[in-house]
């Protein structure tokens, strides 16, 4: 199954991904977004989050 990854170096913690798909992305205490372990991936919603991240920190895992 495809899975998104977040570049922790470039994420600015804007929170857009978590508001687009709260079942996959969550903001943590480090101020960055993280992919929730075992999250059910809805490809089109995750793609929306990828497209809306202002700094292109989210990508599909290779
Ligand atoms: Fe970070 Fe982009 Fe989400 S900046 S908080 S990965 S929308």
């Amino acid at each position: 199954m495809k899975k998104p990854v977040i570049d922790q170096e470039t994420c600015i913690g804007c929170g857009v991904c978590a508001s687009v798909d709260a079942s996959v992305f969550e903001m943590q205490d480090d101020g960055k977004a993280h992919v929730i372990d075992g999250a059910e991936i809805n490809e089109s919603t995750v793609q929306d989050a990828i497209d809306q991240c202002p700094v292109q920190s989210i990508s599909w895992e290779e």
Side-chain angles (χ1 to χ4, degrees):
M1 193 174 66
K2 281 172 91 177
K3 214 183 145 222
V5 286
I6 296 165
D7 183 343
Q8 299 297 320
E9 298 293 311
T10 59
C11 171
I12 55 169
C14 73
V16 165
C17 54
S19 67
V20 170
D21 194 346
S23 64
V24 174
F25 303 102
E26 68 177 3
M27 303 308 294
Q28 289 186 2
D29 292 345
D30 61 1
K32 310 261 179 176
H34 295 263
V35 175
I36 298 169
D37 273 343
E40 188 127 336
I41 305 299
N42 177 316
E43 275 191 37
S44 74
T45 316
V46 169
Q47 188 61 52
D48 281 347
I50 289 173
D51 294 342
Q52 289 181 49
C53 175
V55 289
Q56 285 88 44
S57 291
I58 315 168
S59 55
W60 290 110
E61 195 172 64
E62 299 295 329

